[in-house]
Amino acid sequence: MHGITPGLPVRRAALRLLDAVFRRGETLEQAEGPALADIRKAPDRALTKAIAGETLRWLTDIDALIDSATKQNLPEDAKARMVLRLMLAQALRLDTPPHAVIATGLPLLAGGPRRLAHGVFSALVKQGAALPEVPTLPERVTARWGADKAAAIAPGLAYPPELDLALKDTGATEARAVQMGGISLAPGHVRLPRGAAVESLADFKAGDWWVQDLAASIPARLLGAGEGRNVLDLCAAPGGKTMQLAASGWNVTALDLSKRRLDLLKDNLKRTGLKAAPVRADALTWEPKHRFDAILIDAPCSATGTCRRHPDVLHRIGKGQIAEMVELQRALTSRAAGWLNPGGWLVYAVCSLEAEEGESQAAWIDAELGLTPQPVTAEELPAGLTPTPEGWLRTHPGMLADHGGLDGFFVARWVKQ
């Protein structure tokens, strides 16, 4: 490492992360392995991801600043623009001193337009350039969601989310919140300030809780107490909903296609001491040995509802990917409906903000699958959330803003008569 500017490897790794998102359409999580291969220390890895994440979170506004300081707009894929994005994200969001930003940013343009990048960055700093209080969403996202919906969601994207925990023992909610210095927004839930190191928290190894966004916990809550009945958790890994259902007394079959993700589910079950039957199979070809009293489908989706924790989705996902997900969701739901016992409940959920994957799918299920809607009630939901007039639930990052927001989900429920 002799002769290398301190902090430079972190910036190179952040640039690799952005390159993976924009050039190859990868998620930040997919890109982490190769991009951070030479970043060993946990704080350095965290900083790398923070730089890339803040760049993506504020990209539209950062680009507007860059364009305001150049006579001719840099191409979208120009390396100079990408490096300037990283530099401005550090200066304006992570409070990195300008001299440190320059020292670790300009070497990324070896053989390139360093003078241009230096001039643009210095001019913006001298002008006192600042970002708005709320990030501006990409144009194509606003066009999909509509201006009103985008305006409601944007405030929830200004900061990474706080840390939500789901408790194995809902009766210990109040005591656990006090013990851990957090707040609770629902039985079995504790919210801690962002940045908490999960493995160092009280009773992690004891398995008394697991990490799960409050919105993600709602689908399983809508099935209530299991009382020994059989439930299928479809697309179950890494297991948050499986553990909820097991803790609520259900006899859980946890189905997933991915071996890696199913291994995570098994590890989570082992840590928490909860019981379920993991099954690795393709739900489009698998045939169960018995029918179920309830089925929870946390369907594969665009995951745009996770944009406050995964801002890359705002820049990767388009209509093509959404259309592919819609077809898969319908195929899975059609098969699952046939596996229900009479009187059995079906809960359909997606962590998506796209109407095609949520509201439109619920209307399709109403019309095509012969199930009877079982409306969600306000009493079943965390305080501050209300069902739609149709009896569905729609959440987005701008909701519960005073308490730190929540992920975007669509959830609906039916019964088989």
Side-chain angles (χ1 to χ4, degrees), residues 75-257:
E76 281 292 313
D77 59 351
K79 191 173 184 181
R81 179 183 286 276
M82 199 67 73
V83 170
L84 278 166
R85 288 166 168 170
L86 289 174
M87 294 172 70
L88 288 167
Q90 293 171 76
L92 301 179
R93 291 299 298 171
L94 300 177
D95 296 325
T96 308
H99 70 271
V101 172
I102 292 171
T104 56
L106 296 186
L108 299 173
L109 289 169
R114 292 192 188 191
R115 182 177 298 179
L116 170 66
H118 193 178
V120 170
F121 178 77
S122 298
L124 289 170
V125 170
K126 187 177 295 186
Q127 294 166 15
L131 295 170
E133 291 186 10
V134 172
T136 302
L137 300 182
E139 286 186 11
R140 67 175 184 169
V141 172
T142 300
R144 271 204 324 267
W145 296 347
D148 290 345
K149 183 176 178 180
I153 290 170
L157 306 183
Y159 296 95
E162 296 174 328
L163 182 66
D164 281 355
L165 307 180
L167 307 181
K168 185 165 66 174
D169 178 8
T170 58
T173 302
E174 185 175 347
R176 179 70 67 176
V178 172
Q179 174 198 359
M180 302 185 82
I183 62 171
S184 177
L185 302 177
H189 166 266
V190 172
R191 174 163 289 182
L192 302 178
R194 70 178 63 88
V198 173
E199 293 82 0
S200 66
L201 295 176
D203 297 323
F204 171 77
K205 292 183 179 179
D208 291 348
W209 50 263
W210 54 93
V211 176
Q212 186 178 33
D213 187 81
L214 176 62
S217 75
I218 293 174
R221 292 174 185 270
L222 296 181
L223 288 176
E227 299 173 340
R229 292 174 294 162
N230 294 318
V231 63
L232 172 64
D233 186 2
L234 198 59
C235 310
K241 297 174 182 64
T242 291
M243 291 183 286
Q244 276 185 278
L245 293 167
S248 295
W250 289 91
N251 179 27
V252 189
T253 299
L255 183 77
D256 204 276
L257 178 59

Side-chain angles (χ1 to χ4, degrees), residues 13 27 61-62 84 91 93-94 119 141 144 179 194 201 212 216 244 259 279 287 293 307 310 321 340 343 355:
T27 68
D61 299 299
I62 289 173
L84 278 166
R93 291 299 298 171
L94 300 177
V141 172
R144 271 204 324 267
Q179 174 198 359
R194 70 178 63 88
L201 295 176
Q212 186 178 33
Q244 276 185 278
K259 179 182 184 303
V279 177
E287 290 292 344
D293 302 303
C307 50
H310 301 301
Q321 295 101 316
L340 277 173

Side-chain angles (χ1 to χ4, degrees), residues 6-30:
L8 181 57
V10 164
R11 276 68 180 184
R12 283 180 176 154
L15 190 61
R16 289 195 294 267
L17 283 175
L18 292 183
D19 189 69
V21 171
F22 287 110
R23 295 185 189 275
R24 298 195 295 277
E26 295 179 8
T27 68
L28 284 176
E29 287 186 338
Q30 289 171 336

